[in-house]
Amino acid sequence: MDRETKRRIEEYRRSEAGPLQNNLVDELVAGELDRQEFLQRASMFGLSVGAMGALLAYVGEGELAHAAPLEPVQSGGTLRLGLPVFGASLEPYLLNEGGALAFSGIPGEYLTFTNPQGRIVPWLATSWRPNADATVWTFQIRRNVRFHNGQLLTARDVVASMKQYVSTKGSNAGLLPFFDASGVSARGQYTVVFRLKSPIGVFPYLLSQTTYQAIIQPAAIAANPGTWVARGMIGTGSFRLRRYVEKRSAELVRNDRYWGGRPPLEGVRITYYQGTAPMVLALRAGQIDLAMQFSAQEAQVFRNNPRFKHYALPTSAHRQFCMRTDQGPLRDPRVRRAVALTINRPQQIERILLGAGQVGNDNPFWRGFASTDRSTKQRVQNLQLARALLQAANAENLRFTITTWNFADHPDHAASIQAYARQAGIDIGLEVMDVSKYYGSEPPGADYATTTPWLNRTATLTEYGARGVPNVVLTRSYMSTGDWNASHYKNAEFDSLARTYLAAAEIAAQRRATKKMAGILLRDTPVVTDYFIRYVTASSAKVRNYVPEGISHVRLAKVGLSS
């Protein structure tokens, strides 16, 4: 290491870094973080690119790689985009389906952005910094950004938006466990302060597009929940809404004053389809240029075909096969473990995903997360043990139904679980709904939380998009108070460990917690996560600079069409 690098690091640690940043340096020097993990955590704690590069040089790593150059595109043209139809609302605080959030995320934007490498990067916020124990985070808002109506973005808009997401009844944003309306405030025109209920060492991730409800709205609209769509979906994004035909089509036009530079495309035309199969046909027929997402099998037709581009991105996106722990034939944990033990996971990935996935271990801790402990033994198929558990639970004639909806790999996935379970004498029926029924209240207008099929059937199979950290999935799907807890799982020990994990800023403490949580989930098996998926889709060969995103957003600011 050269003397100048050493001097810069010592000066940074002494005069600029706080306790969290200095602990991060200690973890890097001690070898507890690899290069990618360090970059993820350094960007989260607000380190500059220069500081990250110097620290990597400090431990003998190479320089930071530059972003890949953009392909040349023509200016103008309209991109035709295919999205799956959705059953619920486009209002940001109510978003919960891929087609809806993909659409909303074109005009709408977020404070931060989780990139495909899992790093948190600036977006509408240019920088952020925690206090010593990560209970207060201060964000600087990007200047000279204008909403589609010409209004200047300020801290007031951010505060009003965040207050809506933690205060409005029925909000899907899931931010209330971390802060409430009194915990977010403006300090001047371009500074926002979040005072959290407890320490959160990865808080900037929770304000990125992976919390897809957290779109920044103009303050006057945010103060009136439920009016964003009626007011024209006014955001700061690279395209603004021109016309919307409910759940059928939409047209957006270029935002010439976009803060990130004038987009190449003149406009975007969206068509909604009932499931992914019609989108495959539309793309093959040249009726659309790009589709939001396909299953791996559906996308095979576009591979090695010069007329199309095939995209596959490793992600933390997964499917949750949830089994009711509070009632019915699956309430005994031995029965749930038996069901999980029937699945041949490597074979399942090859048959359903054509290898485009990673084996799961019945927890949300993807191996790409820095916080995931990798020492937990992998669950494998064991039909003999499955039969013994069923016998011990007096459930040798087990029968139940899996409910899911007609999207991507869901029908094939559910059928594979059905076939594997049959080998242990388990009789599983399948109920495949359309999206509006699966995610709607039953009957329409009834209390949502207690009637919607995806949260209340005996067993359900639901898609979960990629996150940069597992925090939101933990709080919403596994903790006793979670509003996405389809298994109705309640375990005080798990809740306590989850809170410990959420509060930990040190990677070693996070890994200790994930190891213990993974063990509890293997024992109780409220949810089977048998695989994590690669996010797969396709486009026409003339589409340039499109980068897929595991949470189903479709980012188009740099996308163009070849001549």
Side-chain angles (χ1 to χ4, degrees):
M1 177 201 328
D2 65 87
R3 183 177 300 176
E4 176 59 20
T5 298
K6 184 176 181 180
R7 185 197 66 77
R8 286 174 59 196
I9 296 303
E10 290 175 349
E11 175 64 21
Y12 168 76
R13 300 196 69 168
R14 180 174 58 254
S15 63
E16 185 176 346
L20 295 177
Q21 290 86 354
N22 273 315
N23 183 74
L24 176 66
V25 177
D26 292 337
E27 290 177 325
L28 177 66
V29 172
E32 295 177 5
L33 299 171
D34 63 26
R35 180 188 177 92
Q36 184 61 29
E37 291 168 345
F38 165 73
L39 291 174
Q40 290 176 7
R41 292 176 62 74
S43 58
M44 179 184 64
F45 287 134
L47 273 69
S48 68
V49 172
M52 287 188 274
L55 285 165
L56 287 173
Y58 184 70
V59 295
E61 291 277 358
E63 295 182 359
L64 290 173
H66 296 290
L70 295 174
E71 296 181 84
V73 296
Q74 67 182 22
S75 180
T78 296
L79 181 89
R80 298 167 299 169
L81 173 64
L83 300 178
V85 74
F86 55 94
S89 176
L90 282 170
E91 288 297 325
Y93 76 96
L94 293 174
L95 291 173
N96 67 354
E97 300 168 47
L101 68 93
F103 178 21
S104 295
I106 297 175
E109 292 189 306
Y110 304 80
L111 284 183
T112 63
F113 181 76
T114 303
N115 72 13
Q117 292 73 44
R119 287 176 57 192
I120 194 76
V121 298
W123 214 251
L124 294 181
T126 56
S127 64
W128 47 86
R129 189 174 180 86
N131 68 345
D133 64 356
T135 57
V136 179
W137 288 79
T138 302
F139 286 72
Q140 299 304 317
I141 306 306
R142 189 177 298 276
R143 300 182 182 224
N144 301 316
V145 175
R146 291 192 178 274
F147 287 101
H148 298 149
N149 61 1
Q151 176 188 323
L152 193 68
L153 168 72
T154 69
R156 177 172 171 266
D157 304 297
V158 175
V159 170
S161 298
M162 292 300 159
K163 285 181 180 293
Q164 182 191 110
Y165 301 139
V166 297
S167 302
T168 306
K169 182 179 180 181
S171 174
N172 282 331
L175 293 171
L176 190 55
F178 311 118
F179 66 92
D180 56 26
S182 66
V184 56
S185 60
R187 184 189 296 163
Q189 194 171 11
Y190 292 105
T191 301
V192 175
V193 179
F194 292 87
R195 299 183 183 279
L196 308 184
K197 295 178 180 180
S198 60
I200 302 293
V202 294
F203 183 64
Y205 277 100
L206 306 183
L207 301 180
S208 78
Q209 86 285 8
T210 60
T211 300
Y212 39 81
Q213 299 86 359
I215 288 172
I216 304 304
Q217 307 174 46
I221 297 176
N224 294 279
T227 64
W228 190 64
V229 176
R231 298 282 292 273
M233 300 176 75
I234 294 172
T236 59
S238 52
F239 292 87
R240 56 183 175 82
L241 184 65
R242 170 184 281 174
R243 186 176 69 91
Y244 172 53
V245 179
E246 187 171 1
K247 300 177 185 177
R248 292 184 60 187
S249 64
E251 292 182 17
L252 300 101
V253 295
R254 179 166 50 206
N255 177 9
D256 288 314
R257 296 190 296 181
Y258 182 54
W259 62 267
R262 189 171 185 263
L265 291 169
E266 183 178 327
V268 181
R269 186 180 305 129
I270 296 173
T271 302
Y272 279 96
Y273 295 88
Q274 291 288 343
T276 49
M279 284 196 293
V280 172
L281 297 176
L283 182 57
R284 294 184 69 181
Q287 296 169 355
I288 58 175
D289 304 307
L290 173 66
M292 187 192 85
Q293 185 180 9
F294 293 137
S295 71
Q297 291 182 340
E298 290 170 328
Q300 275 296 98
V301 68
F302 302 109
R303 298 190 69 173
N304 304 316
N305 185 328
R307 293 177 51 229
F308 301 99
K309 289 184 178 180
H310 177 274
Y311 309 87
L313 175 71
T315 71
S316 63
H318 59 283
R319 295 6 184 161
Q320 288 192 8
F321 166 36
C322 301
M323 295 176 279
R324 287 287 293 263
T325 62
D326 60 333
Q327 65 180 39
L330 298 168
R331 62 185 178 275
D332 190 320
R334 294 171 296 182
V335 173
R336 300 192 297 272
R337 288 202 303 274
V339 174
L341 286 164
T342 67
I343 301 171
N344 184 326
R345 296 159 196 248
Q347 183 185 78
Q348 187 184 47
I349 289 175
E350 288 301 320
R351 290 180 175 178
I352 299 174
L353 302 181
L354 305 179
Q358 183 184 90
V359 170
N361 204 21
D362 299 341
N363 63 61
F365 305 123
W366 181 50
R367 296 182 74 82
F369 292 145
S371 61
T372 296
D373 178 89
R374 295 169 177 81
S375 66
T376 303
K377 187 177 179 180
Q378 175 64 49
R379 173 170 274 165
V380 298
Q381 185 186 51
N382 189 330
L383 296 174
Q384 182 178 358
L385 179 55
R387 294 188 189 99
L389 287 168
L390 292 171
Q391 184 177 28
N394 195 27
E396 293 174 282
N397 297 315
L398 179 63
R399 306 180 74 180
F400 65 94
T401 296
I402 296 175
T403 302
T404 189
W405 70 284
N406 189 22
F407 173 73
D409 56 303
H410 285 352
D412 290 337
H413 190 174
S416 77
I417 297 171
Q418 179 189 53
Y420 287 127
R422 191 179 297 125
Q423 297 177 74
I426 302 171
D427 183 5
I428 297 179
L430 302 181
E431 181 184 25
V432 181
M433 297 179 162
D434 67 37
V435 63
S436 60
K437 290 185 178 179
Y438 187 68
Y439 285 114
S441 56
E442 192 177 55
D447 178 70
Y448 186 83
T450 58
T451 66
T452 183
W454 82 280
L455 293 177
N456 293 286
R457 288 290 202 270
T458 298
T460 56
L461 183 64
T462 303
E463 71 282 2
Y464 276 73
R467 263 80 179 179
V469 291
N471 295 45
V472 168
V473 179
L474 281 177
T475 57
R476 308 193 72 173
S477 300
Y478 289 89
M479 293 183 71
S480 301
T481 55
D483 57 343
W484 291 347
N485 188 343
S487 64
H488 297 240
Y489 180 58
K490 296 185 185 298
N491 183 297
E493 182 185 7
F494 182 89
D495 290 350
S496 177
L497 285 165
R499 287 191 291 269
T500 297
Y501 166 83
L502 294 170
E506 300 80 14
I507 200 70
Q510 292 178 359
R511 288 174 179 165
R512 286 194 296 271
T514 60
K515 179 179 177 63
K516 292 177 181 178
M517 285 188 284
I520 291 173
L521 292 177
L522 281 172
R523 181 195 69 201
D524 294 349
T525 316
V527 177
V528 170
T529 300
D530 37 18
Y531 57 68
F532 294 88
I533 70 165
R534 291 181 192 164
Y535 187 88
V536 176
T537 192
S539 75
S540 162
K542 67 181 181 181
V543 175
R544 297 284 190 267
N545 301 321
Y546 171 68
V547 178
E549 190 179 319
I551 197 66
S552 297
H553 277 100
V554 182
R555 294 188 298 124
L556 299 173
K558 303 299 182 183
V559 172
L561 301 171
S562 63
S563 55

